[in-house]
Amino acid sequence: DLAWQTQAHYNNKVGGLHDQVSRVSAASPKVGDKLHRNLAKQLDSAQALDLQMSQTIDLANRALAPKWQRTSDVLTKLCRYYVMVFEASGVLSAELREVVQELCGPKTAEAMVQRGQELADKARARISSTQFGRSVRDKFGVGD
């Protein structure tokens, strides 16, 4: 903050001195010397500001790097979870279509119930053998 204020001060001061020199055709050597001194101070203050900015950027990057890494880790896990869910949903969707086809044929009520139970057992066995089924069972205790 102080480095920026110093830089702004010398920018204004040098600008004013340039205006003063340009207005007076025969500027005094005293004004010329003052302009040169302030140009040197302006350059020094610009270098000091650049150094402060570089140090601040370095400190910010060091502070934020672990947070970006943790964010990256969380996003990676979230993406893997969704990949697993959507891959399993394709298998589940195909199996549900098969169930619909099996149940839609003309049958007696008793045969439909028996066939429904067979299909449910078949689906349960298939889901239990997939990564998705194991994940659900492990996390929620479903299907034990």
Side-chain angles (χ1 to χ4, degrees):
D1 207 26
L2 180 60
W4 183 85
Q5 288 174 348
T6 303
Q7 177 65 29
H9 168 76
Y10 283 109
N11 286 342
N12 289 334
K13 194 166 189 176
V14 166
L17 288 170
H18 273 295
D19 290 345
Q20 187 178 356
V21 168
S22 65
R23 280 194 310 258
V24 179
S25 59
S28 71
K30 190 174 184 180
V31 173
D33 289 342
K34 188 174 184 180
L35 176 62
H36 288 295
R37 278 194 317 275
N38 281 285
L39 282 170
K41 290 178 183 179
Q42 182 187 32
L43 179 62
D44 290 344
S45 68
Q47 291 171 345
L49 179 63
D50 287 345
L51 178 63
Q52 288 287 324
M53 291 297 289
S54 295
Q55 291 172 343
T56 301
I57 289 169
D58 184 50
L59 289 171
N61 286 336
R62 281 194 269 158
L64 293 174
K67 293 176 185 340
W68 282 116
Q69 183 60 47
R70 284 193 297 261
T71 301
S72 174
D73 293 345
V74 168
L75 286 174
T76 300
K77 289 176 184 176
L78 185 64
C79 289
R80 285 182 182 150
Y81 169 78
Y82 278 115
V83 165
M84 182 181 69
V85 166
F86 288 121
E87 284 176 349
S89 70
V91 171
L92 185 60
S93 175
E95 290 176 353
L96 288 175
R97 277 191 217 101
E98 187 179 310
V99 169
V100 168
Q101 289 173 353
E102 291 289 331
L103 292 176
C104 288
K107 298 181 180 168
T108 65
E110 185 178 306
M112 287 175 62
V113 168
Q114 182 180 356
R115 184 65 182 146
Q117 288 174 343
E118 289 171 2
L119 290 173
D121 291 341
K122 184 178 174 183
R124 192 175 304 115
R126 281 186 182 171
I127 289 174
S128 293
S129 68
T130 66
Q131 177 63 31
F132 177 72
R134 287 190 296 272
S135 175
V136 169
R137 186 175 55 246
D138 293 345
K139 289 182 182 178
F140 303 108
V142 176
D144 287 336

